[in-house]
Amino acid sequence: MRDCWARPVGDCLETLLAVKNLNVAYRSADGSTQVAVENASCEIGAGEVLGLMGESGCGKTSIALALLGLLGAEQAQVSGSIQFRGKELLTMGEREMREIRGSGISMVFQEPGIALNPVMRVREQVAEVIHAHKQMSWEKCQEEAQSALVRVGLPDTPRIFSAYPHQLSGGQRQRVTLAQALACEPALVIADEPTAAVDARSQQELLRLLQQLQREMGIAILMISHSAEVQARLADRLMVMERGRIVEQGRFEELYRRPSHPCTRAMLRAPMAADDAEELDFATVT
Amino acid sequence: MTRYLTRRLAHAALLLLAVSVFSFALLQLAPGDFFAPLKLNPQISARTVEGLRAQYGLDRPWPVRYGHWLRGVFHGDLGPSFAYNSPVAPLLAVRARNTLLLTGTAMLWAWLIAIPLGIVSAVRRGKWSDRAGGVVTSALLTIPDLVLFLAILLLAVRSGWFPTGGMVSTAFGELSGRGRAMDIAYHLFLPALALAIATLPALVRHIRSAMIEVLQAPFIRAARAHGISEYRVLLRYALPVAANPLISLFGFSVATMLSASLLVEVILSWPGIGPLLLEAILAKDVYVVLGTVMLSSVFLVLGNLVADLLLFAVDPRIRMES
Amino acid sequence: MKVESNLNSGRTEPLLRVTGLSQQFVQRRTLSRSKFTVNAFSDVDLALFAGRTLALVGESGAGKSSLARCVALLDQPTAGKIELEGRDLLALGRKALIPIHGQIQMIFQDPTSAMNPSRSAGEIIAEPLVVQGEGTKAQRRERALHLMEQVGLDPRSEGKRPFEFSGGQRQRLAIARGLALGPRVLIFDEVLSNLDALNQSLILRLLADLQRSHSLAYLHVSHDLRLVSEFADDVALMCEGQIVEQQDARKLFESPKHSYTRDLLATVQSVDSILLERSA
């Protein structure tokens, strides 16, 4: 796996996800459409981590939602091709799509505080995901949920399992959403700014955990984060987006050492030493 | 928890006391009393009228009468009804029972219909089925209850399918147990339907908007992203969270159980508290009015308490605060 | 344990000085009689100097926002002193405080919720002037447009509503509003947390420019130590309501004294060191 880090997808990894000419345009109430993603193309290989960086509002989350088929026809106009394990997702029926959501491709949402059901205990919330995909009794689902929660580093205590989201800390809540995403051992996990709502210490722990689980389970990750440090830790390859378009793609180290697009330069700024103020070049970005 | 309950009950007792004083005092402001019209009758001497008044203690100052009444309340005696010439308590009990039967049935129907209707309109928001529903509820809301009830009365009279009033038919006494139940149900149908139709539109709207608000929450989208079926998302994720505002609404429904049916009872001649209260106010049968007001207040307090307890039981966030 | 502030050595008098500030909340548990006290922060000493930025760092829940609100005179502390150029602010009556509010302004984390969504940008910026009764309508508008230019917003968008701006632009709008009354001290409460990396850099640059041109004193609350290393002159570290270390930024990052500081610094890694770690 480490050798493949150096080579682009296609050389040694099977292509898990292939996106070609994806266009997403949101419909507004007066009938006009606003383009969120324009002509995006990319590929993710099995077990690979593809980072997605860009300013907020540049279309990152729209791509994630389009991948999961969560944009209804009245909400947005989606065109192009998204192939997952060779099957076309955009023309797939709702039932087949629901099978893929959570077990083929799953998502870790930003802000776990609002992504979790406030009146359901955390173990049940993970159990629900398992129950939706596996033919098991509810008790068995709860047991599996328990192991999923332990796997993401939550203490093996009844206090945690039967807790409601608001009783847990931000970092713990994020682990719960991670457990939900990993419960059915998906092939691809979309992580949407998973450490944004978490404090610095928990952030490091969470990223290390994600790294470890990714290697253990061999899952591919689409890592959406605007933070260079987060991408550095996990991304094999990186995509930079600006206003709906992918402006640069390539291996993370390549882009970091030799960024060509000004947006890439701005997002992957060089490390700060504590005692020198760095001049950041933005002339071309604004 | 017990401390909370005792505190609430203590507050309730104080509230009821205040209501009783206020009502009693307010009733005294109306000039004259029950026996005043008798004075106009030349055949009844003034002395007889005075004698009647003294018999019921109406010549005493009102704080004294209030104290007397209050003492009676603790023994279950709500005072005498002048019009019926009998104690108020049993009279009120029978009428209250009838009213509760009516409002209970109507509430049950209204909620049972409103919940699925509200959920469906929320889910199909913007589609024509939702818009059609919106037109119907708007129409029902704009039609004054009075007109609605009169229309239903007209239906009963013209078609002859339903009795036009009363709770039981004249042959009630001769019917078997089951026959009696059927007879009451037959008479109950129209008033309950009328009341249900009157309360339905507002309920549907509240449920619809509570569901719409919840369905826009991020955790619903997250649940869908995990592949959970739409049915389960609605029932296990959306509805429990939407229940919060609806429980307060429910408490309000319970609170108004004795008062909401007044108009229906009067128009469709259902022997409940409504007509009794109306007569008593017009005739200045003070103790009946007082008793009715107090009973309604008890229901109000109870309804609020029920709502708070339900919220406590249903929403873990409120439970955790303590 | 009170920490000695080594900020005063050999410098001019601080513009804003906070001494022994504490805030306590007494709360009653719902459905019960028992009370318990919560210390938001206790015995805090701070010194803000014109033209310098003091970063207030700590994890969420450490009391930074509560402290910032008290210094901004938005909340009442339970003990201590706040002095602006020697004047004891907490001893002033309500009327005397009105002009002082204009001197110390606060910018909040979420600009969207800090602004009236039904007002236009120009109205929002001019609002402090309206509240303090300054200038005619035309003068206020002039000033609003001038401020928009200063913060890098197009003056032609003065009629737009907040939702029509991007996140970064909304924050600039909030900053423009904060500058309306010509304050000496600006307090920022996690203003960069909701922004992406690009906008963070842009806003920081703007703040540095404004500080230089107006000689402002900044109190910048942030949980992000890496960002703090970019802009802070002085750093005060807060942990559970108390200041555990406070000194010159450079010295703090080079040789942190308190174990808490060292722990926190360990969580900040540069991209280079992360990449090194990975290839090992």
Side-chain angles (χ1 to χ4, degrees), chain A residues 28 68 81 116 156-157 166 198 201 204 212 241 260 271 277 284:
Chain A
S28 48
L68 282 170
S81 153
L116 290 172
D156 193 351
T157 62
H166 65 270
V198 167
R201 251 207 279 238
Q204 251 211 343
Q212 176 204 337
M241 275 185 87
S260 49
T284 47

Side-chain angles (χ1 to χ4, degrees), chain B residues 66-141:
Chain B
Y66 175 75
H68 203 73
W69 176 83
L70 195 60
R71 243 173 293 140
V73 169
F74 288 112
H75 293 110
D77 173 19
L78 294 173
S81 160
F82 309 137
Y84 287 81
N85 205 9
S86 73
V88 169
L91 181 65
L92 217 52
V94 168
R95 294 295 191 113
R97 184 202 64 190
N98 298 344
T99 295
L100 288 177
L101 181 62
L102 175 61
T103 48
T105 315
M107 250 182 76
L108 187 70
W109 288 353
W111 279 84
L112 278 180
I113 300 174
I115 291 179
L117 271 186
I119 295 179
V120 168
S121 340
V123 170
R124 288 184 212 251
R125 178 191 188 185
K127 306 215 173 93
W128 77 261
S129 54
D130 172 42
R131 295 202 199 186
V135 169
V136 171
T137 48
S138 295
L140 283 176
L141 278 173

